[in-house]
């Protein structure tokens, strides 16, 4: 397992292009299971999670081709297996998304239960309940969800909690169901809208994606489509924070600024100057220290939980004290223990972190625990005094396209070293 070494240094400056969104690319790739025609999906980010989903789709019998511009052609004419095994689902929970489309097109699916992860227990009860409402017979047996159905039937489904992949799974199941499905209290995330846009191009009849009520009139069959994945709003936000906390200046290109408004508002409140174009954002850090900003995560369009760790870091070196409340996941504060080891002053009380800014963090060996926590620790290393060694960075490779290259392009001093780096150094 490689590690990263980040050296605290000067301001990050320059321009970078934002990659396609991981959490939009995954469901769009999976929806190729709904048709026997070829899907062409472009703007795919180069990430481990994408490789995992390709492995899963390949095991199901989907033929995949990737070109050097990261465009994928997927053809699911010869699906000969409906099982998503534990070893793939446990590394990437989004694998649960094959449940809806397999059931809708083939009438059966077996998907390993994902189990808990570093940010919370993350059950999939809403996916199961929704599919049962559409007529699926589901049992949970030996760690697997086993689902069967003749043709699914449209239904009115109320989601007790707003769930992004839950909404996506049900949308993909309902597009081939008989009759009309209404998903109430649906997730409004841009990734849900992107999936709906792709399904519509395939011939699905969907209305209301982006609102909390999505109506789907089932059709008999779907065709192939060409689809370009939206930009990654969390990658965009992460780079803006990197520039802000390092006292730098950045232009991020190929973004959809309207999808990161909650994050841009908080950056302005912290004292950064922003200029916003149609598909770019320019940020200049304030001359003095950033100001601490209160954060409360919640489903879109509110402040995203996937940017919480980065803003805990911003607050930990800002002027003043701020509270950060995490309302989406019950255990998404592992980065705080690591930031404290770097000198951050953070008190944790249930789902609230009280962060009192310090002037400088100090380098320390730290361990990444999940994807966004690892991004936070990498950025912390770039502004701390000295060299920070970040272990378990496989998490970051799951979700950030070439992060060291992009940061280096902005002037960061960061390098990847092999797992036995420290032993070799002291030998
Ligand atoms: N929940 C349930 N039951 C369910 C489904 C969800 O209780 O059946 C709960 C969850 O435990 C959580 C809340 O509902 O407390 C919201 O979870 P949601 O289902 O929305 O999360 P998700 O769909 O599993 C996606 C992203 C996450 C992102 C969240 C929230 C993908 C592949 N993943 O997860 O992204 O944090 O929505 O926006 O789209 C990441 O990229 O680092 C990441 C974790």
């Amino acid at each position: 397992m490689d590690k990263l070494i980040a050296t605290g240094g000067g301001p990050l400056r320059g321009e970078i292009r934002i990659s396609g969104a991981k959490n939009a690319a995954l469901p769009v790739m999976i929806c190729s299971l709904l048709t026997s025609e070829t899907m062409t999906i472009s703007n795919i980010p180069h990430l481990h999670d994408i490789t995992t989903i390709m492995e899963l789709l390949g095991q199901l019998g989907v033929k995949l081709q990737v070109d050097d511009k990261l465009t994928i052609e997927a053809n699911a004419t010869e699906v000969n297996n409906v099982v998503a095994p534990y070893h793939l689902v446990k590394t990437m929970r989004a694998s649960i998304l094959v449940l809806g489309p397999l059931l809708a097109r083939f009438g059966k699916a077996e998907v390993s239960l994902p189990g808990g992860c570093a940010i919370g227990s993350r059950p999939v009860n809403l996916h199961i309940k929704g599919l049962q409402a559409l007529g699926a017979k589901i049992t949970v047996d030996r760690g697997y969800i086993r689902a069967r159905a003749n043709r699914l039937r449209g239904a009115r489904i109320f989601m007790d909690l707003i769930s992004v992949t839950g909404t996506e799974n049900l949308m993909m199941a309902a597009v081939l169901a008989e009759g009309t499905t209404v998903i109430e209290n649906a997730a409004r995330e841009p990734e849900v809208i992107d999936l709906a846009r792709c399904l519509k191009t395939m011939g699905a009849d969907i209305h209301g994606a982006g609102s909390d009520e999505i109506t789907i009139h089932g059709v008999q069959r779907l065709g192939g489509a060409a689809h370009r994945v939206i930009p990654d709003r969390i990658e965009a936000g992460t780079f803006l924070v990197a520039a802000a906390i390092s006292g730098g200046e950045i232009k991020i290109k190929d973004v959809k600024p309207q999808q990161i408004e909650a994050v841009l508002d908080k950056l302005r409140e912290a004292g950064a100057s922003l200029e916003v174009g149609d598909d770019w954002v320019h940020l200049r850090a304030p001359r003095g220290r950033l100001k601490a900003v209160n954060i409360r995560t919640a489903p879109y369009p509110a402040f995203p939980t996937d940017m919480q760790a980065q803003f805990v870091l911003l607050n930990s070196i800002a002027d003043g004290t701020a509270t950060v409340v995490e309302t989406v996941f019950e255990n998404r504060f592992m980065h705080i223990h690591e930031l404290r080891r770097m000198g951050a002053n953070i008190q944790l009380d249930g789902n609230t972190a009280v962060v009192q800014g310090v002037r400088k963090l100090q380098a320390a060996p730290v361990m990444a625990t999940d994807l966004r926590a690892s991004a936070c620790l990498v950025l912390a290393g770039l502004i701390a005094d000295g060299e920070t060694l970040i272990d378990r960075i496989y998490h970051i490779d799951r979700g950030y396209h070439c992060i060291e290259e992009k940061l280096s392009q902005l002037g960061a001093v960061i390098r990847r070293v092999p797992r036995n780096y420290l032993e070799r150094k002291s030998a």
Side-chain angles (χ1 to χ4, degrees):
M1 223 180 289
D2 292 350
K3 303 171 199 273
L4 282 175
I5 296 185
T7 308
L12 300 187
R13 287 185 202 286
E15 276 191 17
I16 52 153
R17 183 190 166 267
I18 296 305
S19 303
K22 165 178 88 77
N23 290 347
L26 296 172
V28 163
M29 287 170 70
I30 288 173
C31 85
S32 62
L33 285 168
L34 288 164
T35 174
S36 59
E37 293 180 18
T38 299
M39 298 285 298
T40 306
I41 308 162
S42 56
N43 204 26
I44 297 277
H46 184 49
L47 302 172
H48 270 191
D49 273 8
I50 297 292
T51 318
T52 307
I53 211 71
M54 287 176 72
E55 192 181 340
L56 173 57
L57 291 174
Q59 281 193 13
L60 300 178
V62 179
K63 300 272 175 298
L64 294 156
Q65 276 188 333
V66 194
D67 74 11
D68 54 2
K69 292 203 181 85
L70 294 169
T71 293
I72 289 185
E73 284 203 347
N75 185 290
T77 308
E78 287 169 20
V79 170
N80 48 19
N81 174 20
V82 292
V83 183
Y86 178 61
H87 74 274
L88 292 176
V89 180
K90 81 167 190 236
T91 52
M92 199 196 56
R93 304 177 52 87
S95 313
I96 188 77
L97 285 170
V98 301
L99 192 56
L102 283 176
L103 200 52
R105 180 154 164 235
F106 304 104
K108 54 186 178 177
E110 292 185 16
V111 179
S112 169
L113 273 172
C117 75
I119 61 177
S121 61
R122 300 184 78 183
V124 289
N125 57 311
L126 299 174
H127 300 237
I128 294 177
K129 200 174 138 200
L131 291 171
Q132 284 172 330
L134 295 175
K137 298 270 171 289
I138 299 186
T139 53
V140 177
D141 178 29
R142 294 167 200 245
Y144 275 77
I145 305 165
R146 297 180 209 277
R148 295 282 181 278
N150 294 321
R151 191 168 177 208
L152 294 169
R153 288 183 318 272
R156 183 168 276 273
I157 302 168
F158 179 80
M159 310 282 287
D160 297 335
L161 274 175
I162 297 178
S163 166
V164 177
T165 49
T167 303
E168 292 166 347
N169 225 343
L170 297 180
M171 216 159 66
M172 287 191 281
V175 283
L176 289 179
E178 190 182 335
T180 299
T181 298
V182 179
I183 306 175
E184 290 179 68
N185 203 25
R188 297 156 65 188
E189 268 67 4
E191 294 75 18
V192 173
I193 304 177
D194 199 44
L195 175 63
R197 194 168 56 91
C198 178
L199 290 167
K200 278 185 185 176
T201 320
M202 294 165 74
D205 188 351
I206 304 180
H207 304 268
S211 76
D212 59 4
E213 185 171 300
I214 303 178
T215 304
I216 303 149
H217 303 290
V219 295
Q220 285 287 346
R221 59 176 294 283
L222 294 174
H227 181 82
R228 183 175 170 81
V229 172
I230 53 168
D232 196 314
R233 62 196 168 97
I234 306 301
E235 188 197 21
T238 303
F239 277 99
L240 292 172
V241 170
I245 60 176
S246 69
E249 188 169 351
I250 192 176
K251 183 171 183 183
I252 54 170
K253 296 183 298 185
D254 288 353
V255 283
K256 289 191 186 292
Q258 68 277 19
Q259 294 177 351
I260 49 172
E261 263 168 21
V263 171
L264 298 181
D265 279 352
K266 286 293 166 186
L267 286 165
R268 277 191 201 99
E269 196 182 321
S273 312
L274 293 176
E275 246 185 281
V276 178
D278 284 348
D279 63 353
W280 55 267
V281 176
H282 181 273
L283 174 142
R284 189 173 322 112
R287 281 182 193 280
R289 277 174 87 185
L290 290 160
K291 293 192 283 281
V293 285
N294 294 329
I295 300 285
R296 185 182 183 86
T297 68
Y300 191 85
F303 190 91
T305 172
D306 291 344
M307 283 301 299
Q308 178 256 105
Q310 301 86 322
F311 270 77
V312 167
L313 169 63
L314 182 149
N315 281 326
S316 67
I317 50 115
D319 187 18
T321 301
T323 55
V324 177
V325 185
E326 172 59 59
T327 76
V328 179
F329 291 111
E330 72 269 24
N331 184 27
R332 207 175 198 182
F333 275 143
M334 300 294 274
H335 44 283
I336 286 180
H337 309 293
E338 301 300 292
L339 286 176
R340 278 187 188 145
R341 300 182 56 250
M342 299 179 74
N345 182 355
I346 308 173
Q347 305 305 317
L348 204 46
D349 181 11
N351 70 342
T352 303
V354 180
V355 190
Q356 177 157 19
V358 297
R359 283 197 174 268
K360 194 83 188 161
L361 297 178
Q362 287 96 45
V366 289
M367 194 153 70
T369 47
D370 78 82
L371 170 54
R372 309 302 169 186
S374 32
C376 149
L377 295 175
V378 168
L379 302 194
L382 293 175
I383 55 166
D385 249 343
E387 271 194 351
T388 294
L389 180 76
I390 303 129
D391 202 352
R392 302 218 177 149
I393 53 148
Y394 56 88
H395 290 292
I396 212 162
D397 294 330
R398 287 188 42 210
Y400 285 89
H401 181 137
C402 306
I403 189 153
E404 309 105 272
E405 283 89 335
K406 285 188 175 177
L407 286 168
S408 304
Q409 228 175 296
L410 299 172
V413 181
I414 182 165
R415 65 189 202 282
R416 194 173 281 250
V417 293
R419 60 193 298 193
N420 57 353
Y421 172 77
L422 275 187
E423 294 110 71
R424 288 201 339 212
K425 214 176 158 199
S426 53

